[in-house]
Amino acid sequence: MVDNRTQIKAVSQIRQYSAPGEGGVPPAKIKYVPTSGTYPKGFLAASTHVGVKASNTRFDDLALIASETPCSAAATFTTNKFQAAPVTVSRDMLTRREGSGIRAVVINSGCANAVTGKGGIQDAIKMGETTDQCFDDTQDDGKGSRTIVMSTGVIGQRLPIKKILHKIPSAYTDLGSTHDHWLSTARAICTTDTFPKLLSRTFTLPSSPDTTYSIAGMTKGAGMIHPNMATLLGIICTDAPLAPTALRSLLPGAVDKSFNSISIDGDTSTNDTLAMLANGAAGGQVIESESSKGYAEMRSTLEGFGRDLAQLVVRDGEGATKFVTIKVVNAATYKDAKRVASTIARSPLVKTALYGKDANWGRILCATGYAEGVESVVPEETSVSFIPTDGSPELQLLVKGEPEKVDEERAAQILEAEDLEILVKLSEKKGEEAVYWTCDFSHEYVTINGDYRT
C-alpha cells in the first residue's frame, strides 16, 4: 500500500516552470518572443554549446556579440560587495580603454564565476583574451583586452574554462546578423528564464534626420532581481554614432528609470552587468556629449527601450502570475516616490496577497509607511487605488487616509487579470512621481529556488 503523504510530497516537488534549458517556451509567454527584428548595422551575434553545467548536454550556453569595427561602450555594474570576476575584469577593461575600441561581449550561462578567488579572475581574463584573438584585423594598442565578459549561474563554482575557451572560436565562426542569430544568442544566456528576452526597433535623431538607426537589446533574469544597478545581465547595441563620453552619461539615466525600477524578489546579484555598445555604422553626426544635437532624443529613445526590455524580466519573474505596475505620485521628491514604490514592490506580504487575488490594501499601506528615509508620507493625505487594465474606473481602497467600502467582487475581478496597476497618492497636491514594476510571489518561486543549485 502506498503512503498518501508520500504521493502528495512527490507531486508537490514537480517543477511547473519551463526554462529554455529544460523545454519549450510556456504557451502564455510565447507572445513575448519576437519572430523578426531590425538589428543594428555592423553588429553580429552567435551562440554555441559548451556544457558549462554537466547536466546541459544540448542547449547553447555560450553567447558572443561582436562589432565589425571597434566601437564605443559603457556599462553599469552591481554594487554587491561580493562582485563576480567578470564584473571586476570588465570594469577594469572599460576604465583602461576609456570606453573606446571595444569589439565584443562574451557571455556564459550555467556558472557565475563569482566568489572564485584569483583563479576566477584569471578565467575571466582568459575569456576576454581568447575572444580578442578571434579578431585578426585589430592591432594591439597597448591597452589590453577589447572584450566585455559576463557570466551567470551558480555562485561559488569555478568555470570549466578549458571547454569555454575551446568553443569561443566556434562562436566567432558562426557570427551572423539574422534574427535567428540574435534570438539564439538571447536564449543562450538564460538560466531559469522561461523565454529569451530580445527587442529591436528603429529611430531617428535630429542631428542626422535622413538616417534611420537601429537599436537591439537582450537581457536575462527571472530571479535575484532588485535594483542597485541593473540587477541582471543585459546588452544593448546601436549603430548610432555615440562617443564614449556620451554613452557614459546616457546609460545611468536610462538604467535608473528602467532596470533600476524593477524588482522580483529583492535580491541583488553578484554579477549584474548592463553594457551598451555603439559603433556608428549607420553614419551621421557623432553625438559627443550632453550638449550635442540629438543627445536629448537619444536619451528618450534609450529610456523607452530600456524600460520595455526591463519589463520583460518582470514578466518572466520566477513563478510569477502577475505583472504589477506601482505608481507613486504627488511626493515631495522623486527620491521619496521611488523609495515608496520600491518598498511596496519588494514586500512579500503585498506580493503574496496579489498571488492570492486578495485586495488586502492594508499591506500596501503598511509598506508605504515603513519606507526608509521618506518624509513625504502623511497618513491623512494618502490614497490607494487599483487601476484596472480594461480601462474601467479605478477602484478606490483608501482616500485621504479614510478606508473605502471595497466592492470585493469587483476587486476579485480586477485581480484576475495578468496585469495590474497600484496607484498610491501621497498628497492631493501635484508633486513628483515614480513608477516601479514587479510581480507576485507564488508557490512556484519557492520550488524553483529550493532546488536551483542541485
Side-chain angles (χ1 to χ4, degrees):
M1 182 176 178
V2 178
D3 189 332
N4 288 335
R5 289 172 298 178
T6 302
Q7 287 183 317
I8 292 171
K9 182 177 180 181
V11 171
S12 68
Q13 292 302 312
I14 296 175
R15 289 186 176 192
Q16 302 301 319
Y17 69 98
S18 175
E22 300 181 352
V25 177
K29 303 294 179 70
I30 290 176
K31 59 187 175 183
Y32 301 119
V33 181
T35 56
S36 63
T38 304
Y39 299 100
K41 297 176 182 177
F43 280 104
L44 306 170
S47 66
T48 191
H49 174 256
V50 173
V52 174
K53 271 189 171 182
S55 59
N56 177 16
T57 60
R58 60 193 179 100
F59 294 98
D60 287 1
D61 52 0
L62 182 71
L64 180 64
I65 300 169
S67 174
E68 293 180 325
T69 57
C71 65
S72 303
T76 54
F77 300 97
T78 183
T79 58
N80 192 308
K81 290 183 173 61
F82 288 95
Q83 299 192 348
V87 169
T88 299
V89 169
S90 296
R91 180 192 288 111
D92 290 348
M93 183 275 293
L94 287 171
T95 300
R96 185 172 60 251
R97 301 199 67 86
E98 297 182 324
S100 64
I102 308 304
R103 291 304 298 268
V105 182
V106 63
I107 314 109
N108 75 271
S109 62
C111 177
N113 191 11
V115 198
T116 47
K118 294 179 180 178
I121 294 290
Q122 290 303 311
D123 289 345
I125 291 173
K126 288 176 182 177
M127 285 179 65
E129 290 177 343
T130 301
T131 304
D132 294 334
Q133 291 166 10
C134 295
F135 298 92
D136 55 13
D137 62 338
T138 303
Q139 294 182 344
D140 182 7
D141 60 1
K143 295 182 180 180
S145 179
R146 297 174 181 268
T147 299
I148 296 170
V149 180
M150 301 183 189
S151 297
T152 182
V154 178
I155 295 171
Q157 297 180 3
R158 288 287 297 276
L159 292 171
I161 192 61
K162 290 183 179 180
K163 293 168 65 177
I164 291 175
L165 300 182
H166 177 69
K167 283 299 187 78
I168 288 176
S170 298
Y172 179 81
T173 300
D174 292 340
L175 284 169
S177 59
T178 70
H179 173 68
D180 287 343
H181 281 95
W182 282 86
L183 188 61
S184 66
T185 303
R187 185 177 287 111
I189 67 176
C190 293
T191 50
T192 59
D193 308 62
T194 68
F195 66 92
K197 300 165 184 64
L198 175 67
L199 286 180
S200 66
R201 61 187 52 158
T202 59
F203 63 98
T204 58
L205 296 171
S207 49
S208 303
D210 297 328
T211 303
T212 298
Y213 297 109
S214 297
I215 187 170
M218 64 182 69
T219 186
K220 65 81 51 184
M224 231 178 178
I225 304 295
H226 185 71
N228 220 344
M229 183 300 302
T231 63
L232 32 65
L233 298 187
I235 307 97
I236 297 175
C237 301
T238 182
D239 51 20
L242 305 176
T245 49
L247 265 184
R248 283 196 296 270
S249 62
L250 282 166
L251 192 58
V255 166
D256 184 56
K257 295 187 177 180
S258 58
F259 290 98
N260 264 358
S261 292
I262 61 174
S263 184
I264 289 176
D265 49 21
D267 271 317
T268 299
S269 181
T270 54
N271 289 60
D272 305 336
T273 304
L274 179 69
M276 182 172 178
L277 285 69
N279 63 10
Q285 183 178 330
V286 177
I287 297 176
E288 297 281 355
S289 64
E290 295 182 26
S291 60
S292 299
K293 186 177 182 180
Y295 180 92
E297 289 76 13
M298 187 68 227
R299 180 179 59 195
S300 178
T301 296
L302 184 56
E303 285 180 358
F305 185 79
R307 181 183 62 244
D308 293 344
L309 193 58
Q311 287 181 8
L312 291 177
V313 175
V314 179
R315 290 194 178 279
D316 200 23
E318 290 174 342
T321 68
K322 296 192 182 303
F323 176 84
V324 186
T325 299
I326 299 172
K327 182 181 289 187
V328 177
V329 302
N330 298 345
T333 64
Y334 170 73
K335 186 176 181 180
D336 276 3
K338 191 169 184 181
R339 282 186 174 179
V340 171
S342 171
T343 304
I344 297 169
R346 67 176 186 268
S347 166
L349 291 179
V350 171
K351 293 158 79 69
T352 50
L354 293 172
Y355 172 66
K357 302 170 187 175
D358 179 10
N360 193 339
W361 56 267
R363 294 182 176 182
I364 300 169
L365 197 66
C366 182
T368 300
Y370 68 67
E372 294 184 1
V374 175
E375 302 296 332
S376 299
V377 177
V378 181
E380 57 269 21
E381 295 183 14
T382 302
S383 299
V384 178
S385 299
F386 285 158
I387 308 297
T389 55
D390 61 5
S392 60
E394 66 181 288
L395 178 61
Q396 294 182 322
L397 307 169
L398 181 80
V399 177
K400 291 190 280 189
E402 294 291 334
E404 294 291 290
K405 185 176 181 180
V406 178
D407 183 340
E408 296 291 348
E409 185 175 344
R410 181 157 184 259
Q413 290 175 347
I414 292 172
L415 291 171
E416 280 288 339
E418 179 183 347
D419 286 23
L420 168 71
E421 180 179 321
I422 296 173
L423 175 64
V424 178
K425 293 182 180 179
L426 299 184
S427 172
E428 292 301 309
K429 298 177 182 178
K430 188 171 179 60
E432 298 294 325
E433 70 173 60
V435 181
Y436 233 77
W437 299 278
T438 190
C439 57
D440 55 347
F441 262 165
S442 69
H443 300 90
E444 197 60 26
Y445 178 84
V446 178
T447 300
I448 293 169
N449 285 283
D451 63 2
Y452 176 72
R453 190 174 69 89
T454 54

